[in-house]
């Protein structure tokens, strides 16, 4: 994402959660496994309501998500996640 005022912006992609592994802090989205940092991930529920964090994620949830632009290309992790629907 292009920096705004020197700060990278986040681009939201859309997907559906195919699998969730809370113990490993990983989601599978479109066949790709992505992780999240336990304190950096921000999760927003349907309608903009807060959730209980990654524990609210379920297989089949329709989401929009952003990967950390500062992380290495092969080791991106989620930093923002908007849950649009849980099924």
């Amino acid at each position: 994402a292009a920096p705004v005022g020197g700060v990278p912006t986040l681009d939201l992609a859309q997907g559906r959660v195919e699998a969730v592994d809370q113990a490993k802090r990983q989601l599978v989205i479109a066949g790709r496994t992505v992780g999240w940092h336990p304190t950096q991930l921000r999760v927003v529920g349907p309608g903009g309501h807060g959730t209980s964090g990654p524990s609210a994620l379920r297989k089949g949830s329709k989401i929009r998500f952003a990967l950390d632009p500062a992380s290495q290309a092969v080791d991106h992790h989620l930093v923002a996640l908007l849950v649009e629907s849980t099924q």
Side-chain angles (χ1 to χ4, degrees):
V4 174
V7 177
T9 58
L10 295 177
D11 292 325
L12 292 177
Q14 188 172 4
R16 192 168 293 277
V17 175
E18 296 171 14
V20 180
D21 187 332
Q22 297 286 342
K24 291 183 180 179
R25 296 186 195 111
Q26 295 178 333
L27 290 179
V28 177
I29 306 166
R32 180 176 175 196
T33 301
V34 291
W36 69 79
H37 188 279
T39 60
Q40 293 177 341
L41 177 63
R42 300 293 175 247
V43 179
V44 178
H49 300 286
T51 68
S52 57
S55 63
L57 299 173
R58 301 284 181 264
K59 179 179 177 179
S61 294
K62 183 177 175 186
I63 61 170
R64 291 190 180 269
F65 61 96
L67 299 172
D68 182 358
S71 63
Q72 298 176 358
V74 296
D75 191 30
H76 279 304
H77 61 268
L78 294 165
V79 292
L81 198 143
L82 169 65
V83 179
E84 294 183 319
S85 68
T86 54
Q87 289 297 343

